[in-house]
C-alpha cells in the first residue's frame, strides 16, 4: 500500500525548491525564486518589533486582528474606491498562498471546472486538484501574452464554477488592460461565474501602466473575491501576511476553509502590516520605480547574452525564449545553467498543462529581477561570459 495519498502522489517538491537548492549547491546567483534581497521599510519592521515587545505574541483572531482588517479596507477604498465592511468582507490569511487555498477549497466542489490563465502560479493547479476541481487553461502566448476573449469563452462549459484570474500576471509580467478585463467580466456575467483574482503585484507595475481590479467593473463587485498580500509590495515575503476581500458570502467561504488550515496568522506581524498600509504609498511607489530600472538592466543583459527577451509590464519577472540558442527545453537549459554560467532561473514549462501545445512554454524561462543592481550586474556578467548554446551539450 502506498504511503502517500493520491492527491499528493507524484507532486514531489516545487520547481522553486529544486532550483533554489541547486543555486545553494553550486554557489550560483539565484534569479529563480521571486524574493527580494533587501528588507522592507522601517515603518513595517519597527512596528513588528514594537508588537513583539508589546506582547502581541499569542493567537490572533481567526479572521485577523481588527486593526489590519480595517487598514485593508482603507487601502481598498483609498486606491480603488472599493467600500468594504472590515468585519464581514475582509479575512487575513497566511500569505496569498493560503488565500488561494482557502478560496478554492471553500468555493469549488468536486467536478466543478475552474478556468485559469496559463502559464500559472503552481499553487493554483495543486489546490484545484485538492478541491477535486477540473482545470480549464486559457493560454497567454508570447510575444505579448494577451488574453484571447474567444479562447476564454470557449473554455467555459455548463460545469464551470469560477475564473481564476492573475493580474499583474506571474510569470509573464503581463498587466491585463481594460479590453481584456472587460472580456473577463462579459464572460463571468453571461455565465453567472465567480471570479477569484490574485493581485499580489498590484502596486508593482511599470511605465505608468495602471492596475485595475476587476471588481471595480460594472456587475463584478458581487461576484469577485480579491486576493493580495503585503509580501511583494513591502518586501517582506517571509512574513506571509495576505488577505481576501469581497462579498461577505465569498469571504465566509474562505474563512470556513482557513480555520482548518492555519486558523490564524502571525500575531505581531499583522499590526505591523496595518501600520505599513496606513503609512501611505511612498515605499511601494519607490519599489516599483527601482524594479522598473532593474527590469531594464536585466532585460538588456539577457538580450546581450543572446536570449530572446520579452519586456514585462509588472511583477518581479522577465521571460526569455531559449530557442535561438538551440535548446528544445527550458528545463534542460535551466539545469545546465548553473554549471555553464553560475546563474539559476526557472523553466516556465512547469506552469503549463501541455507545454508542447502551439504557443506554449516548453522553451520559455523566467528570470527574477527583484535583486540588488549589483547582483543583477554579476548575473549578467556571468551570462555574457558563458557559452549558453545547446551545441556544447551535444558536442
Amino acid at each position: 500500500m502506498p504511503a502517500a495519498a493520491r492527491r499528493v502522489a507524484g507532486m514531489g517538491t516545487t520547481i522553486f525548491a529544486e532550483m533554489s537548492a541547486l543555486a545553494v549547491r553550486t554557489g550560483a546567483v539565484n534569479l529563480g525564486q521571486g524574493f527580494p534581497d533587501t528588507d522592507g521599510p522601517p515603518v513595517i519592521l519597527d512596528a513588528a518589533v514594537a508588537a513583539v515587545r508589546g506582547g502581541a505574541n499569542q493567537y490572533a483572531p481567526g479572521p485577523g486582528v481588527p486593526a489590519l482588517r480595517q487598514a485593508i479596507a482603507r487601502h481598498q477604498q483609498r486606491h480603488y474606491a472599493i467600500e468594504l465592511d472590515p468585519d464581514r468582507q475582509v479575512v487575513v490569511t497566511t500569505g496569498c498562498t493560503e488565500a488561494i487555498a482557502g478560496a478554492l477549497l471553500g468555493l469549488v466542489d468536486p467536478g466543478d471546472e475552474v478556468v485559469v490563465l496559463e502559464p500559472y502560479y503552481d499553487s493554483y493547479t495543486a489546490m484545484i486538484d485538492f478541491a477535486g476541481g477540473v482545470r480549464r487553461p486559457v493560454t497567454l502566448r508570447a510575444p505579448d501574452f494577451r488574453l484571447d476573449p474567444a479562447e476564454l469563452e470557449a473554455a467555459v462549459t455548463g460545469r464551470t464554477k469560477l475564473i481564476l484570474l492573475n493580474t499583474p500576471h506571474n510569470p509573464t509580467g503581463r498587466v491585463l488592460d481594460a479590453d481584456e478585463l472587460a472580456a473577463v467580466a462579459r464572460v463571468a456575467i453571461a455565465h453567472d461565474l465567480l471570479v477569484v483574482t490574485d493581485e499580489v503585484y498590484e502596486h508593482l507595475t511599470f511605465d505608468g501602466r495602471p492596475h485595475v481590479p476587476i471588481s471595480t467593473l460594472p456587475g463584478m463587485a458581487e461576484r469577485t473575491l480579491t486576493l493580495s498580500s503585503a509580501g511583494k509590495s513591502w518586501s517582506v515575503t517571509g512574513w506571509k501576511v495576505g488577505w481576501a476581500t469581497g462579498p461577505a458570502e465569498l469571504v465566509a467561504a474562505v474563512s470556513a476553509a482557513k480555520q482548518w488550515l492555519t486558523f490564524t496568522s502571525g500575531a505581531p506581524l499583522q499590526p505591523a502590516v496595518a501600520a505599513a498600509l496606513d503609512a501611505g504609498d511612498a515605499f511601494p511607489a519607490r519599489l516599483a520605480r527601482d524594479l522598473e530600472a532593474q527590469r531594464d538592466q536585466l532585460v538588456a543583459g539577457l538580450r546581450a547574452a543572446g536570449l530572446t527577451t520579452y519586456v514585462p509590464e509588472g511583477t518581479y519577472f522577465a521571460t526569455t525564449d531559449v530557442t535561438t540558442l538551440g535548446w528544445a527545453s527550458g528545463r534542460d537549459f535551466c539545469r545546465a545553467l548553473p554549471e555553464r554560467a553560475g546563474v539559476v532561473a526557472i523553466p516556465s514549462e512547469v506552469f503549463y498543462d501541455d507545454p508542447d501545445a502551439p504557443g506554449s512554454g516548453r522553451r520559455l524561462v523566467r528570470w527574477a529581477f527583484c535583486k540588488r543592481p549589483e547582483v543583477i550586474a554579476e548575473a549578467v556578467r556571468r551570462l555574457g561570459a558563458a557559452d549558453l548554446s545547446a551545441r556544447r551539450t551535444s558536442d
Side-chain angles (χ1 to χ4, degrees), residues 148-371:
D148 185 328
E151 292 190 20
L152 178 66
E153 178 69 44
V156 175
T157 76
R159 294 181 296 277
T160 304
K161 177 70 175 288
L162 63 84
I163 299 171
L164 179 52
L165 201 62
N166 176 210
T167 182
H169 183 261
N170 172 16
T172 69
R174 181 84 172 86
V175 178
L176 298 189
D177 63 24
D179 290 340
E180 291 165 302
L181 292 174
V184 175
R186 283 196 303 272
V187 170
I189 292 168
H191 296 277
D192 194 23
L193 305 178
L194 300 176
V195 174
V196 175
T197 174
D198 173 353
E199 301 181 4
V200 294
Y201 294 99
E202 60 186 305
H203 295 300
L204 305 182
T205 63
F206 312 134
D207 308 310
R209 192 168 278 103
H211 165 68
V212 178
I214 195 168
S215 66
T216 62
L217 272 60
M220 293 304 296
E222 59 266 35
R223 66 179 68 248
T224 301
L225 183 73
T226 301
L227 316 179
S228 194
S229 78
K232 301 301 192 296
S233 293
W234 279 270
S235 295
V236 286
T237 60
W239 285 19
K240 301 296 288 180
V241 177
W243 50 84
T245 64
E249 62 272 22
L250 300 186
V251 171
V254 176
S255 299
K258 174 194 163 53
Q259 68 182 333
W260 306 116
L261 297 171
T262 60
F263 179 68
T264 187
S265 303
L269 303 180
Q270 292 190 44
V273 172
L277 290 174
D278 282 340
D281 311 316
F283 181 82
R286 184 170 70 251
L287 178 60
R289 290 194 298 271
D290 291 345
L291 284 170
E292 185 174 327
Q294 290 157 216
R295 172 202 67 176
D296 294 344
Q297 179 188 11
L298 180 60
V299 166
L302 293 171
R303 287 176 171 171
L307 289 151
T308 300
T309 306
Y310 309 112
V311 180
E313 299 170 345
T315 76
Y316 280 176
F317 309 110
T319 296
T320 60
D321 189 322
V322 298
T323 302
T324 55
L325 297 176
W327 294 90
S329 164
R331 188 190 288 266
D332 291 344
F333 173 83
C334 288
R335 284 175 170 165
L337 193 61
E339 177 190 342
R340 296 283 192 91
V343 179
V344 160
I346 296 291
S348 298
E349 63 187 85
V350 300
F351 307 133
Y352 291 81
D353 275 16
D354 181 3
D356 291 315
S360 288
R362 179 67 75 189
R363 296 175 176 85
L364 300 183
V365 171
R366 192 194 81 169
W367 310 76
F369 51 84
C370 52
K371 310 296 178 181

